[in-house]
Amino acid sequence: MDRIADIWGPRTPHTPGAAWPVRVDQHLEEGLTESDVDRWVQSACVLCSNGCACDVAVKDGRMVGVRGRAEDVVNRGRLGPKGLYGSWQWSDTDRLTRPLVRENGKLVETDWDTAMDLVVRRSKELLNEVGPLSHGFYTSGQLFLEEYYTLAVIGKAGLGTPHMDGNTRLCTATAAAALKETFGADGQPGTYTDIDVCDALFLFGHNMAETQTVLWSRVLDRLEGPDRPVLVAVDPRETKVAQHADVHLAPLPGTNQALMNGLVRELITRGWVDHEYVKAHTIGFAELKQTVEPYTPEHVAEVCRIDANDLRRAAELFGTKDRVVSTVLQGFYQSHQATAASCQVNNLHLLRGMIGSPGRGVLQMNGQPTAQNTRETGADGDLPGFRNWSNPQHIEQLARLWNVEPLTIPHWAPPTHAMQIWRYAEQGTIRFLWISGTNPAVSLPELSRVRAILRQENLFVVAQDGFRTETTELADVVLPAALWGEKHGTFTNATRTVHLSEQAVEPPGEARSDLDIFLDYARRMDFHDKDGDVLIKWKDAEGAFDAWRECSRGRPCDYSDLSYERLRGGSGIPWGTERLYGDHRFPTDPDYCEDYGHDLLTGATTTPEQYRAKQPGGRAFLKAAEYVPGPEQPSAEYPFVCTTGRTVYHFHTRTKTGRSRRLRDAAPEPWVEVSAEDAAELGVAQGDVVRVESERGAVEVSVRIGRCRQGVVFLPFHYGYWDTDSDEHDRAANELTATRWDPVSKQPVFKVSSVRITKREG
Ligand SMILES: Nc1nc2c(c(=O)[nH]1)N[C@H]1C(S)=C(S)[C@@H](COP(=O)(O)OP(=O)(O)OC[C@H]3O[C@@H](n4cnc5c(=O)[nH]c(N)nc54)[C@H](O)[C@@H]3O)O[C@H]1N2
Ligand SMILES: Nc1nc2c(c(=O)[nH]1)N[C@H]1C(S)=C(S)[C@@H](COP(=O)(O)OP(=O)(O)OC[C@H]3O[C@@H](n4cnc5c(=O)[nH]c(N)nc54)[C@H](O)[C@@H]3O)O[C@H]1N2
Ligand code: SF4
Ligand SMILES: [Mo]
């Protein structure tokens, strides 16, 4: 089995609606066979939001392989290249094994007491001098639920700071925002079994073939089986998804909202609307109809530079097929009108009443494996349990649960989003920044700025990771974290399926789980509830999970009937029902909803009074917005539209996949994709090194010809500097990107910047 060459593995087609057949993928360390394995430990892969269930092979206390779990609903045994070759192979490499502290400018090893004393001393000093607003936390979509919940309670009830968010802001903030705007609360409506029965599948800005390879195998099994569904791809590049599509719409990056308004308009003008459904279950049709009126196919074709007839064909497929599934991801989420465009996908489904039944559903996708939990537990600029920061009853509930005064819990404004946290750090109001499970020195936009912020004298930076990274190198204290396989916890995939990941091996050296680190901080900080008892009453992962079950009780993401025991053995289990909204009642009731919504164009919040006046009563919102051109347009100086994203062989900043020989060798160096026409005009050939420059920075990478439409170039964002010897900052795509975000979700605009390209001589 070679999942580098054969990424998706052999086909297992089935008739529509039949269960997806089992195919078990396995990979063991070279030279080992199954009989060498001491034991198999249950887990699920953390290298994307699909969350494929797997068992980890252990021999002599080391991880030596993985095998997909046949009984699991998510993958039925399959694993992709990252799951097979990236999930554990990093474990015996250059890990962080002891805490580091900065002394005379250099990071030096120390013991836990010294490192934590330093963290706690700085924390207490700042609390006394300035108060909780001096503290910011920037966490991840890759820890476990138990760790996020513990962190959320520390931040909200222990310290009382609103400055906590995750890299989920860069990842799935728009998924959450679009679900809140339309349905009143986060929570994935659809489920993967919808793919097994649908008649049409629309992928909006989602390169599933490379980014959720096992899910794409599921799609391929339908595409190559009987009664093939039609496929529509919306992506400016000719990805594998686009190559399989019946209709490929390749809008210019940054024009999604025009395209979507065009699709919505076609549905309305061609009469493909279920008016009874719209009347009974939605609010806002008249305004939506009026807003999309100018977006004729010809007008959209001009803005997006596509063929008007392709738009018509795509709309017809959406309008006439019986069972339609849509997925949405970064091509939509990392744009200047991200939430607006993603809401239009929800609108298409609502207009046809196409939600909540088999084969009919929306998947506002996640990216990171545990991003769902960052959102659920409120470690990300939300409140735990999808509670509404501007609903005093929800604050009361949390205050009662944690036994603290409601005023302790910051709720005078929305929790601070990540881009603002970095701004406060830059301005010097945040002076203590604790980064866990993310590598912002490669993954945030405008890296020269990020490095400058991290280097500031008056900012105390704690970085918690399993490896030395571009970010740890700029920290004041580095805490060595146990990683996947070295700790217990649960996490929830893009379709709400919860998996238990058991500890397979001991962490290296003195590394500790994030949970233990957060608990240690809480203990040393001496956080109390209002009766003087310790605030955080749990001591281990299962205790944290049980506390979370109580916190989530009665909310949309209700985990109260799940337990470690139920999650052991068998398949992962979704919270809620298999698919949501089968009863067509949406969580929009003012007392229950997670958010009162925003103006999609400006991001202005709806007040509680305005919201109540709409009397949503369980109906969904059809939200509308006109298209506005992006803030950065190509110019004479910077003539190309640059977009960024992923390759199948690497995960993000490659801290794991870059340490797996097979994956590293499959894509060792960064590149830029350029259309054949543009390459000819620039006088560059495949493999030539070019300089790609924006207003903010430059990279030097080699050319790959193809996949992009003319005028558009693509860079993978995976390549930073930890595995180079050079001091130059000339590889990372985010040297080029700008500090800008969507007004509603606050997700950065990674997908559009303007660049120029020159051939490097010599
Ligand atoms: N191999 C691999 N898989 C991963 C990850 C990884 O790093 N590597 N990361 C995981 C994570 S955290 C995430 S968030 C997901 C992301 O998964 P995807 O969203 O599928 O990945 P991206 O490559 O970021 O972007 C998807 C596509 O958006 C297109 N695009 C760019 N601009 C536009 C635009 O303006 N409009 C439209 N319609 N499309 C546009 C790009 O051409 C690209 O093909 O992947 C997950 N899976
Ligand atoms: N230009 C551009 N930039 C982008 C994107 C893009 O498409 N284009 N995509 C954005 C998106 S969607 C995402 S999700 C981000 C990802 O950006 P990052 O989150 O910065 O990327 P990772 O490399 O996954 O960083 C995770 C870090 O956590 C560490 N880690 C892993 N597991 C654990 C754990 O259990 N505990 C601790 N403490 N550490 C752990 C890893 O070693 C790694 O250093 O990048 C964003 N940036
Ligand atoms: S599809 Fe995602 S979760 Fe599944 S094996 Fe691949 S990286 Fe892991
Ligand atoms: Mo992501």
Side-chain angles (χ1 to χ4, degrees):
M1 168 179 322
D2 178 0
R3 285 282 170 284
I4 299 293
D6 179 15
I7 295 168
W8 305 284
R11 295 282 54 75
T12 49
H14 59 88
T15 51
W20 193 30
V22 167
R23 183 194 92 196
V24 175
D25 292 341
Q26 173 175 314
H27 175 65
L28 292 176
E29 203 170 81
E30 248 159 47
L32 295 185
T33 63
E34 268 183 50
S35 58
D36 298 315
V37 174
D38 298 338
R39 57 201 173 91
W40 293 91
V41 180
Q42 183 178 349
S43 185
C45 175
V46 284
L47 294 175
C48 88
S49 62
N50 215 47
C52 296
C54 61
D55 289 314
V56 183
V58 180
K59 179 177 167 53
D60 301 331
R62 292 175 52 240
M63 294 194 265
V64 294
V66 281
R67 175 174 73 196
R69 286 175 66 83
E71 57 273 61
D72 201 274
V73 290
V74 170
N75 55 324
R76 313 271 287 163
R78 291 162 191 77
L79 294 172
K82 282 185 282 112
L84 281 178
Y85 310 124
S87 55
W88 52 273
Q89 292 81 344
W90 40 265
S91 61
D92 292 338
T93 62
D94 51 332
R95 293 284 302 280
L96 276 166
T97 55
R98 299 192 69 203
L100 310 175
V101 292
R102 193 167 294 279
E103 272 175 19
N104 305 319
K106 277 207 148 46
L107 287 171
V108 295
E109 284 195 359
T110 187
D111 54 58
W112 274 100
D113 271 336
T114 309
M116 288 308 283
D117 274 351
L118 193 62
V119 172
V120 168
R121 202 174 344 120
R122 191 70 196 120
S123 195
K124 285 186 173 164
E125 273 167 18
L126 282 169
L127 283 181
N128 287 334
E129 279 171 36
V130 196
L133 297 186
S134 57
H135 281 56
F137 291 82
Y138 183 54
T139 188
S140 181
Q142 297 173 45
L143 311 186
F144 289 149
L145 181 153
E146 294 77 358
E147 300 173 324
Y148 298 134
Y149 183 55
T150 304
L151 182 63
V153 180
I154 287 174
K156 288 165 203 353
L159 293 162
T161 175
H163 306 324
M164 180 181 290
D165 200 355
N167 64 359
T168 47
R169 189 62 59 184
L170 323 182
C171 182
T172 64
T174 304
L179 293 169
K180 290 184 220 179
E181 296 296 329
T182 301
F183 304 117
D186 195 345
Q188 189 70 272
T191 172
Y192 288 166
T193 54
D194 289 337
I195 289 173
D196 304 340
V197 326
C198 68
D199 307 310
L201 182 61
F202 279 65
L203 268 59
F204 294 97
H206 184 187
N207 183 12
M208 189 199 282
E210 295 201 62
T211 57
Q212 286 171 308
T213 58
V214 170
L215 194 59
W216 182 245
S217 302
R218 195 165 189 151
V219 171
L220 286 177
D221 283 347
R222 284 298 316 283
L223 293 178
E224 295 178 22
D227 286 327
R228 174 191 193 281
V230 294
L231 178 69
V232 177
V234 183
D235 193 310
R237 290 188 306 151
E238 201 182 326
T239 58
K240 269 277 176 309
V241 175
Q243 285 170 3
H244 279 82
D246 298 273
V247 182
H248 174 203
L249 299 171
L252 263 193
T255 64
N256 294 322
Q257 182 62 8
L259 182 103
M260 293 310 297
N261 281 344
L263 287 175
V264 169
R265 183 184 181 277
E266 278 292 287
L267 244 58
I268 295 173
T269 58
R270 303 287 299 273
W272 293 314
V273 173
D274 180 342
H275 284 287
E276 238 166 79
Y277 186 92
V278 168
K279 197 151 173 258
H281 301 296
T282 71
I283 304 179
F285 179 71
E287 195 194 326
L288 179 67
K289 182 169 181 231
Q290 196 186 357
T291 307
V292 301
E293 188 42 46
Y295 297 84
T296 61
E298 282 66 29
H299 175 52
V300 170
E302 201 179 302
V303 173
C304 304
R305 301 220 206 118
I306 58 169
D307 184 333
N309 284 328
D310 287 343
L311 183 86
R312 288 197 181 90
R313 278 173 63 212
E316 180 167 358
L317 293 174
F318 203 105
T320 58
K321 291 288 175 184
D322 183 33
R323 287 170 295 196
V324 186
V325 169
S326 299
T327 74
V328 193
L329 203 48
Q330 300 310 348
F332 269 45
Y333 295 169
Q334 295 173 337
S335 276
H336 70 292
Q337 291 193 292
T339 310
S342 304
C343 282
Q344 302 317 307
V345 180
N346 298 340
N347 287 350
L348 290 175
H349 282 265
L350 288 169
L351 288 173
R352 288 212 59 209
M354 188 80 71
I355 194 159
S357 62
R360 303 185 176 104
V362 186
L363 294 161
Q364 295 283 352
M365 272 294 172
N366 292 349
Q368 289 175 95
T370 76
Q372 189 62 43
N373 308 110
T374 323
R375 277 145 57 186
E376 290 165 358
T377 58
D380 74 327
D382 284 312
L383 287 183
F386 296 160
R387 286 182 174 82
N388 188 339
W389 66 269
S390 59
N391 181 338
Q393 292 164 16
H394 288 189
I395 304 297
E396 280 287 342
Q397 290 167 7
L398 289 175
R400 233 174 307 145
L401 182 74
W402 297 332
N403 194 30
V404 296
E405 294 297 339
L407 277 178
T408 312
I409 304 170
H411 65 282
W412 58 89
T416 317
H417 63 87
M419 301 308 287
Q420 191 64 36
I421 289 177
W422 285 88
R423 179 79 184 123
Y424 288 152
E426 184 173 43
Q427 291 169 324
T429 61
I430 287 180
R431 292 169 59 188
F432 174 104
L433 181 63
W434 189 327
I435 299 167
S436 49
T438 180
N439 188 7
V442 181
S443 58
L444 278 178
E446 204 179 345
L447 290 181
S448 56
R449 169 177 178 260
V450 174
R451 287 188 291 267
I453 295 172
L454 288 169
R455 284 199 184 108
Q456 282 178 139
E457 269 301 309
N458 65 354
L459 179 69
F460 182 82
V461 178
V462 181
Q464 188 165 307
D465 204 294
F467 305 96
R468 289 186 82 140
T469 66
E470 293 81 349
T471 303
T472 62
E473 293 318 283
L474 300 173
D476 296 287
V477 176
V478 178
L479 302 176
L483 299 175
W484 178 91
E486 300 164 352
K487 58 181 180 176
H488 291 288
T490 56
F491 61 99
T492 305
N493 86 340
T495 55
R496 292 175 283 103
T497 303
V498 186
H499 285 118
L500 177 65
S501 179
E502 304 256 30
Q503 182 174 352
V505 298
E506 289 302 317
E510 295 172 25
R512 291 183 183 169
S513 72
D514 298 277
L515 179 68
D516 285 340
I517 300 172
F518 293 144
L519 287 174
D520 187 35
Y521 172 72
R523 198 161 41 238
R524 289 171 193 259
M525 290 297 288
D526 213 13
F527 293 131
H528 283 90
D529 66 15
K530 66 181 183 192
D531 296 327
D533 290 335
V534 289
L535 175 69
I536 294 179
K537 298 176 174 69
W538 51 91
K539 294 186 172 60
D540 59 13
E542 191 163 1
F545 187 78
D546 289 339
W548 164 249
R549 286 165 64 191
E550 279 317 305
C551 181
S552 68
R553 191 186 289 278
R555 293 299 301 157
C557 53
D558 190 332
Y559 280 67
S560 57
D561 65 347
L562 290 173
S563 64
Y564 273 28
E565 200 180 300
R566 274 194 71 200
L567 292 167
R568 266 193 196 110
S571 173
I573 305 171
W575 60 252
T577 44
E578 189 193 12
R579 63 181 66 72
L580 301 182
Y581 312 137
D583 58 357
H584 307 294
R585 281 198 60 83
F586 302 99
T588 49
D589 186 274
D591 295 327
Y592 186 67
C593 70
E594 184 180 2
D595 204 287
Y596 295 137
H598 300 77
D599 181 283
L600 294 186
L601 263 190
T602 63
T605 49
T606 311
T607 65
E609 297 71 31
Q610 288 165 332
Y611 187 88
R612 276 180 197 278
K614 295 183 188 182
Q615 303 191 311
R619 289 174 295 168
F621 295 100
L622 293 167
K623 290 218 139 181
E626 62 188 85
Y627 159 74
V628 289
E632 190 160 297
Q633 295 292 330
S635 60
E637 205 180 343
Y638 299 103
F640 290 96
V641 180
C642 174
T643 191
T644 62
R646 293 162 168 77
T647 174
V648 67
Y649 299 117
H650 281 297
F651 185 65
H652 299 168
T653 71
R654 294 171 304 120
T655 60
K656 287 181 176 176
T657 53
R659 288 176 169 86
S660 153
R661 181 183 52 79
R662 286 181 196 235
L663 294 170
R664 190 180 53 239
D665 291 352
E669 294 291 332
W671 68 91
V672 58
E673 292 172 19
V674 179
S675 74
E677 298 88 335
D678 289 331
E681 202 154 299
L682 290 163
V684 296
Q686 180 88 2
D688 282 355
V689 175
V690 290
R691 189 172 169 82
V692 185
E693 252 171 305
S694 77
E695 270 177 25
R696 292 152 298 266
V699 298
E700 300 206 342
V701 292
S702 63
V703 168
R704 285 193 190 176
I705 294 177
R707 296 222 283 187
C708 277
R709 50 174 299 167
Q710 207 175 349
V712 177
V713 300
F714 171 90
L715 285 151
F717 84 100
H718 306 290
Y719 299 86
Y721 308 100
W722 62 262
D723 56 343
T724 61
D725 297 328
S726 153
D727 291 332
E728 302 279 315
H729 291 121
D730 58 1
R731 274 158 60 98
N734 282 320
E735 306 295 346
L736 307 174
T737 48
T739 305
R740 292 202 180 100
W741 54 84
D742 172 62
V744 181
S745 69
K746 324 291 191 227
Q747 186 159 346
V749 183
F750 288 117
K751 291 287 186 265
V752 194
S753 34
S754 299
V755 298
R756 66 168 163 248
I757 299 183
T758 43
K759 186 171 174 178
R760 205 187 62 180
E761 300 303 334

